[in-house]
Every structure is written in C-alpha cells, then in structure tokens.
Amino acid sequence: MKVFNKISSFAGKYFALVIIVFSIVAFMVPSLFSSFGAYITILLGIVMFGMGLTLKASDFKLVFTNPIPVLIGVVAQFSIMPTIAFIIAYLLKLPAELAAGLVLLGCVPGGTSSNVMVYLAKGNVPLSITMTSVSTLLAPIMTPLLLFIFAGQWLPVDPMSMFMSIIQVIIIPIILGLLVNKFLPTVTEKSGSVLPLFSIVVITIIVSSIVANNKENIATAGMIVFVAVLLHNGFGLLLGYYAAKALRLSRQDQHAISIEVGMQNSGLGVALAATYFTPLAALPSAFASAWQVITGTFLASYWAKHKVPDDTNSTLEMQPHHKPLADAEEL
C-alpha cells in the first residue's frame, strides 16, 4: 500500500506533466488510445463514484451555517465562466464546434482538483469542497440550461437529454459512492489510497483518447483552442477573485472562490461534448485538463508564500485535519 501512496503522491504532484506527456504520445501514436473514446462516459462515471466515496454530510455544512459565501461562489461559477466563454468564442470567431465546446467548458461545474489547489494555497478548504459539491449537484439543471442559452446559436442543444445524461453520469455515481461510504466505511478506508491514483489514470486515458481521435484537428486548430482555453481559465481565476473581494469576503474565501470559479470539471465537458456535439468540440475541455492544473498549481504556490492575515470574517477556519476530497479526483 505504501507503494501506491508514493505513486499516487508523485502522479498527483506532476499531474499536469502526466497529462501533457500522454497527450503527446496519443498525438504521435493515436492507435494506442483511440479505442478508449467509446468508453469516456463510463470512465467518467467511475471517477464520479470515487468522488462520492470521499464526500460526507459535513461537506455541505456551510450551506446551512454560513450560506452567503457559498451562494456568491456558486453564482460566480455559473455566471462568469459561461459568459466569458461566449465572449471569447465570439471575439476569436471560433468554428461552431469549438465555440460550442468552449461554452460547454464554461457551463460545467467546478472540478474537485480545485479542492487540492485551495488547500495548497492555504485558502478556505471547507468552502471549496462545499462549492464543488453544490455546483456538481446543480449541474443537471444549470449546465443544459446555460448551454442552451449561450451555445444554441452554434450547435443544436437538447437540454432534457443532457439533463438525463448528467444524472446518469454524475449524480447517480456520486449517490452510490455516498451510500457505500456511509454503510461500508471499511471499503472506503481501504480504497482511500488507491482512489487518487485511479482517478488520475482514468482522466489521463479520457484526455488521451480525445487527442488520439482528433489528431488532424489539433494539427490545424490546436493553437487557437489553446489561446481560447488560456483566456477562459485566466479570466475565470481573475474575475472569481475580484467578485469575492468586491463583496468583502475574507482573503481565504477570495482564494477559494477564485480557484473554484477558474477550474472546471473538464472531464464532464469532454464526455458531454463527445456525446452531444462532435469529438472536435471536446478539444477545449481536453486542453483545459492540463492547463488549469498548471495555472492552479502556480497560483496556489504564489498565495501559499504570502501569509494570509488573520480575518475574523472567514466563513470557516481551515483546520489542519481537514483534507481535500482527493489529490486529483476530477478536473
């Protein structure tokens, strides 16, 4: 088990590099990963089951004890990111598939890797975990609705069908994970050290399969997609921070909301794009899988080096024993 812990720690620390290396391999030898494209939805469901195993009722405590920061963060998540994606797609004149894919990336909930980044940044981890959990549970309604509003001009969107898909791929696996965690805690304890590594492997396979099946598209449109994702992620981090600051939240809350808003559940974006649009539409989410980990790590390192002053307005002090959901459950 110690070997798994070491491998998991190494993979979590260099997750962005792992994604980049395997993406390059997939681009050079697409036959290694192309066949996994048919199993993206199943793979993502397995990852979300793992997320459910790590959740507890206490992760939703802030919704009832101090809901204002949670409300601010979730509203920022579902307003800033789709709006920015729409503006970038329009200004860069992205092709229809890429435009819809970028907007889809902006409409999905936050990814749980953000919890790790907030922890490293010495931000408000309980707020981060609560935001991820709440935005994920709202995803069946908010993601199809926002996508219909912002992306309907580029590609047809079927909100009801997408609603059912998110229920099947996200909500049901999470609920199953919660039930296992509650009634079979020994299973959760034994799998705790394996889950982060397993999640990293699955996400790497998902991203690599998208790259493998889009080799020609990446060769022709890769740079514009990268620029779009870079701008989307950067503005998300920046505007999330200033939204929290403008509403006079604590410094720890500002850091948490910034990272939560800027880091999306790109795995869900890939799965939905591949299912309802085209493989090309999945490229923005695939690119974001690596890029947002790089920027999140950089930002967390920067904030960690700058001591956060004592602030009595913080929603909840970050306790030393409070760990993030997982090292890299989902991007």
Side-chain angles (χ1 to χ4, degrees), residues 54-63 126 129-130 133 322 325:
T54 66
L55 290 177
K56 303 179 295 294
S58 59
D59 293 331
F60 299 91
K61 182 180 179 181
L62 284 183
V63 175
I129 293 174
T130 304
S133 303
H322 199 316
L325 290 175

Side-chain angles (χ1 to χ4, degrees), residues 118-131:
V118 173
Y119 178 78
L120 296 176
K122 299 181 180 179
N124 191 331
V125 177
L127 174 60
S128 173
I129 293 174
T130 304
M131 279 185 59

Side-chain angles (χ1 to χ4, degrees), residues 203-225:
I203 294 300
T204 301
I205 291 174
I206 291 175
V207 174
S208 298
S209 70
I210 292 297
V211 172
N213 288 299
N214 283 276
K215 178 176 180 178
E216 295 181 0
N217 292 326
I218 293 174
T220 57
M223 184 54 66
I224 191 65
V225 176

Side-chain angles (χ1 to χ4, degrees), residues 242-275:
Y242 279 105
K245 186 174 183 178
L247 293 169
R248 299 181 179 277
L249 296 183
S250 73
R251 187 70 60 85
Q252 285 184 319
D253 293 350
Q254 292 169 21
H255 293 177
I257 291 176
S258 171
I259 293 174
E260 277 296 321
V261 171
M263 298 186 68
Q264 302 293 89
N265 189 329
S266 55
L268 178 58
V270 167
L272 292 177
T275 301

Side-chain angles (χ1 to χ4, degrees), residues 45-61 112 129 132-134 136-137 167 170-189 191 195 325 329:
I46 294 173
V47 173
M48 300 315 295
F49 172 76
M51 176 184 173
L53 288 176
T54 66
L55 290 177
K56 303 179 295 294
S58 59
D59 293 331
F60 299 91
K61 182 180 179 181
T112 58
I129 293 174
T132 299
S133 303
V134 172
T136 300
L137 293 180
I167 291 291
I170 301 294
I171 303 303
I172 292 178
I174 287 178
I175 291 175
L176 291 175
L178 281 166
L179 293 175
V180 171
N181 188 22
K182 181 176 178 60
F183 295 107
L184 298 172
T186 54
V187 174
T188 304
E189 292 176 4
S191 62
L195 279 176
L325 290 175
E329 279 286 321

